[in-house]
Amino acid sequence: MGAAASGTDETSGPATAGRVWLPEPPEVYDDLPAGLAIDVYDGRSEPPATIGEVAFYVPPYMGAPHTVEIIADMPRLEVVQTLTAGVENVRPFVGPGVTLCNARGVHDASTAELGVGLIIASLRGFPDFVRAQDEHRWAAGRRDSLADKRVLVVGYGAIGRALERRLEPFECSVVKVSRTPGEGVAGMDRLPELLPTADVVVLLLPLTEQTHGLVDAKFLSRLKDGALVVNLARGPVVDTDALLAELTAGRLRAALDVTDPEPLPAGHPLWDAPGLLLSPHVGGNTSAFVPRGRRLVSAQLRRYAAGEPLVNAVAGAY
């Protein structure tokens, strides 16, 4: 696609004279407000010459680091709208006076769907079946069921609610933990007593100073033998060495959509760890994400053009 300018009539649009940078051509979005001056920047070619005029920037989804670092070269920037739920890679580049919005709600269905898939695949032994098929070997035997299991969701928010809805038909119980406790949702201080009761632990926490390395040797030691750890959050939430020790010992199992480091380099011991199912950070990257992401961007631009408050503004950001 490349970087291409597609300026529009700037006399009847928003009060701001700043430009909008989108990762896709404006025609793929529905109901964009009239009068926006739009450039397309997908991160794969040189940025448009209008970088000094950008007021509203939507970085390419899962783009290379330079697509975020370029924010520092946007002196007139007012809004950064990410297409990811997590913003830990963007936050350091967002300065005073800039509103940072995430894609809360866009990835709920896709990520929850993968969560269910990873849980069932791990419990029922799908990776073993695939390897056996490659070897033309009939690998019959009894496996774990999700039914009657206790699933502990750590970081219960929008994605956690979507996951809970999808788990309900599987006859398992869901225990919810959040930084903000409420009715039916325990606080993080309850983790020590809840971890030993869990058959499956699903991580959906944002990566912050408080959650970095949260799942360490002590956290893992509280889990019962054979428990399954599912990380749908960010790789550094889990202490990789501590998890490797438990996997190598055969005491725990894991399913990781994210790792630390990421991408996982060739030769890293996680590749060959027993009891581990890996997916390459694809929790939100599905066909369902595309229309949802476009609808969010369109709606935000309509709010921006009308001078209305934006949704999904990240707390703690400028």
Side-chain angles (χ1 to χ4, degrees):
M1 176 166 56
S6 55
T8 58
D9 179 11
E10 299 181 45
T11 61
S12 58
T16 177
R19 302 186 75 87
V20 174
W21 276 18
L22 299 177
E24 299 179 281
E27 54 265 24
V28 305
Y29 300 90
D30 293 329
D31 301 322
L32 289 180
L36 292 177
I38 297 174
D39 295 301
V40 177
Y41 176 60
D42 63 9
R44 295 196 292 268
S45 57
E46 290 297 315
T50 58
I51 188 167
E53 305 170 27
V54 181
F56 192 113
Y57 178 43
V58 183
Y61 178 66
M62 301 292 284
H66 70 267
T67 62
V68 173
E69 295 165 358
I70 200 173
I71 290 173
D73 299 322
M74 299 177 177
R76 297 182 61 185
L77 190 63
E78 299 173 15
V79 179
V80 177
Q81 171 64 63
T82 71
L83 292 171
T84 57
V87 294
E88 71 282 348
N89 64 319
V90 181
R91 191 190 295 266
F93 300 96
V94 177
V98 178
T99 301
L100 173 60
C101 302
N102 69 5
R104 178 181 172 88
V106 168
H107 299 286
D108 296 1
S110 297
T111 305
E113 182 179 88
L114 180 67
V116 174
L118 289 177
I119 293 170
I120 292 177
S122 297
L123 294 178
R124 298 299 295 266
F126 287 6
D128 294 337
F129 299 155
V130 172
R131 294 184 182 105
Q133 181 178 353
D134 290 342
E135 300 169 1
H136 297 193
R137 176 169 51 86
W138 193 255
R142 182 168 294 165
R143 302 281 180 162
D144 279 340
S145 172
L146 178 52
D148 304 327
K149 291 289 190 293
R150 187 177 176 92
V151 180
L152 180 63
V153 178
V154 183
Y156 183 79
I159 296 175
R161 287 189 289 274
L163 177 64
E164 182 182 27
R165 290 194 298 271
R166 286 158 177 79
L167 288 174
E168 287 174 355
F170 289 95
E171 301 177 29
C172 61
S173 60
V174 177
V175 180
K176 298 157 282 191
V177 177
S178 173
R179 293 173 298 173
T180 307
E183 184 176 354
V185 182
M188 297 291 286
D189 61 314
R190 297 275 309 280
L191 274 178
E193 66 182 271
L194 293 174
L195 288 172
T197 71
D199 300 293
V200 180
V201 177
V202 182
L203 305 170
L204 288 169
L205 297 152
L207 180 59
T208 65
E209 291 183 5
Q210 291 73 34
T211 63
H212 192 289
L214 173 72
V215 183
D216 56 9
K218 187 175 182 179
F219 182 109
L220 295 171
S221 70
R222 290 192 169 104
L223 296 175
K224 64 176 69 174
D225 290 354
L228 172 67
V229 177
V230 181
N231 192 0
L232 299 171
R234 289 292 187 266
V237 169
V238 176
D239 182 325
T240 299
D241 290 340
L243 179 61
L244 268 169
E246 295 283 12
L247 295 173
T248 302
R251 200 183 76 80
L252 298 179
R253 296 173 285 180
L256 307 178
D257 185 50
V258 289
T259 60
D260 182 24
E262 186 178 309
L264 200 63
H268 193 282
L270 273 179
W271 287 114
D272 299 309
L276 175 61
L277 174 58
L278 284 171
S279 57
H281 202 155
V282 293
N285 197 9
T286 72
S287 57
F289 148 69
V290 177
R292 287 166 169 78
R294 290 171 178 170
R295 284 198 293 269
L296 172 63
V297 170
S298 297
Q300 289 286 68
L301 283 172
R302 289 195 295 273
R303 296 184 185 100
Y304 173 71
E308 299 172 355
L310 303 177
V311 301
N312 292 0
V314 178
Y318 290 108

